[in-house]
Amino acid sequence: MNNIEMKYNFNLEYFEKSADYVKSKIDFKPQTALILGSALGSLASDIKNPVEIPYEDIPDFLVSTVKSHAGKLILGELYGRKVVCMSGRFHDYEGYDYEQLVAPVRLFKLLGVENMILTNAAGGINTGYKPGDLMIIRDHINLAGASPLRGPNDDRIGPRFFDVCNAYDEGLRTLAKSLAKECSLRIQEGVYAYQTGPHFETPAEIRFLRMAGADAAGMSTVTEALTAAHCGLKTLAISLISNMAAGVNNNRVDGEEVDYVAAQSAKEFKKYLSSILAHMESQEDE
Ligand code: HPA
């Protein structure tokens, strides 16, 4: 074993240990995985017949450090679909190594899920956006310059080099857009700029990002979407625009405002996600 393999030996068997434990607690196969961002965790309380598994009970899994993120896996039925839901996600700014951030999506893949929905709160860069809008992520700009797929590659999980043109699955985006009129929130589609945080961006960074074609900025989602693209899991990602990003208006960016706007929009966002989940099922039934 070389030095890098000694640090993280993230081969298929490593993740199978987590997956086997979760499988031993359930008697169904989840179809869709959900990772819910800031203040949208309340969706998890709608899950029927929930089986809750604290992250710390799952062998070789990570433990969440953010107060507002609960830190458990919830499995059950949500709007007619069998789901595995992460209540609380892992961010680079908590101090994990990039390589560790693959754990949740690898677990989902081994549980046999067909697709994944990611949500987050993000700052609006596009001046046509307003707090309270939703943005279906079409593509991203990864300012971290690092990938969770760095390090030794296990070809049984995915190829060393892989395409990410469809990291945000076109079919799922089309489905989400077709349901937009049922939602009272404005639905945008745009490019998500990822930087690691925990600081918000500077006004100069936001001007730079707007020129580069970004529509919203945030601190999550991209590591998960890249991990999913690597192992061939379809992803739909939706940002709630919780504030305008730094320098877009005269307001300072404020973490409490982010949580407040997210909470205000949670009910409508939930409704929208429920119709997406319901229609995913009917697509497969056809
Ligand atoms: N920037 C980065 N992440 C965020 C923001 C923001 O303005 N708002 C919510 N998450």
Side-chain angles (χ1 to χ4, degrees):
M1 232 187 237
N2 64 30
N3 285 345
I4 294 173
E5 281 165 344
M6 270 162 62
K7 190 172 175 200
Y8 295 116
N9 191 15
F10 283 171
N11 56 15
L12 185 63
E13 287 75 20
Y14 181 94
F15 299 103
E16 273 173 348
K17 221 156 107 192
S18 308
D20 287 348
Y21 177 81
V22 174
K23 282 182 193 167
S24 76
K25 303 280 173 197
I26 52 174
D27 58 3
F28 62 91
K29 186 164 101 172
Q31 300 164 294
T32 294
L34 296 158
I35 304 182
L36 307 170
S38 303
L40 297 166
S42 66
L43 185 72
S45 58
D46 288 1
I47 295 177
K48 294 209 191 92
N49 304 319
V51 175
E52 300 196 357
I53 308 177
Y55 294 158
E56 64 222 33
D57 290 357
I58 305 173
D60 289 341
F61 207 59
L62 309 176
V63 174
S64 182
T65 67
V66 182
K67 256 202 322 240
S68 57
H69 293 253
K72 60 188 173 192
L73 214 58
I74 308 173
L75 299 106
E77 203 177 305
L78 187 63
Y79 315 127
R81 210 162 159 80
K82 295 188 181 67
V83 298
V84 49
C85 174
M86 263 186 92
S87 181
R89 62 151 44 110
F90 305 113
H91 309 82
D92 173 84
Y93 62 73
E94 293 172 76
Y96 303 108
D97 287 341
Y98 258 85
E99 294 91 325
Q100 297 179 285
L101 297 174
V102 298
V105 177
R106 294 263 166 97
L107 170 63
F108 297 155
K109 178 72 181 177
L110 291 174
L111 292 178
V113 305
E114 295 152 16
N115 49 35
M116 175 169 77
I117 301 179
L118 307 172
T119 73
N120 62 50
I125 296 175
N126 185 321
T127 53
Y129 288 7
K130 285 195 309 234
D133 288 356
L134 297 181
M135 183 186 87
I136 298 164
I137 300 181
R138 185 177 62 236
D139 202 348
H140 73 233
I141 297 173
N142 179 1
L143 292 168
S147 171
L149 287 317
R150 70 199 282 263
N153 188 65
D154 187 333
D155 294 340
R156 293 170 297 173
I157 301 173
R160 168 80 290 182
F161 300 105
F162 59 103
D163 179 73
V164 289
C165 290
N166 198 35
Y168 304 94
D169 183 72
E170 192 175 355
L172 292 176
R173 284 190 285 118
T174 302
L175 171 68
K177 284 184 279 186
S178 75
L179 298 167
K181 53 187 171 308
E182 291 178 21
C183 182
S184 70
L185 302 173
R186 294 198 314 164
I187 312 288
Q188 316 279 4
E189 186 181 30
V191 173
Y192 179 85
Y194 167 72
Q195 61 97 2
T196 61
H199 55 279
F200 294 113
E201 302 73 23
T202 65
E205 285 167 343
I206 293 300
R207 284 195 300 276
F208 166 78
L209 286 168
R210 185 179 302 113
M211 284 191 288
D215 298 292
M219 306 174 194
S220 68
T221 301
V222 164
T223 51
E224 295 140 0
L226 288 174
T227 307
H230 179 248
C231 65
L233 188 58
K234 288 182 179 177
T235 299
L236 174 69
I238 305 177
S239 297
L240 168 70
I241 304 300
S242 56
N243 58 284
M244 294 314 288
V248 178
N249 54 27
N250 291 326
N251 303 340
R252 291 168 61 91
V253 183
D254 172 348
E256 281 180 20
E257 180 199 355
V258 169
D259 290 342
Y260 178 77
V261 174
Q264 292 285 304
S265 312
K267 202 165 148 216
E268 274 303 309
F269 198 173
K270 259 164 77 163
K271 250 174 63 191
Y272 182 50
L273 281 182
S274 70
S275 67
I276 292 172
L277 281 166
H279 283 81
M280 274 179 168
E281 189 157 53
S282 62
Q283 271 201 330
E284 271 155 29
D285 290 344
E286 277 162 13

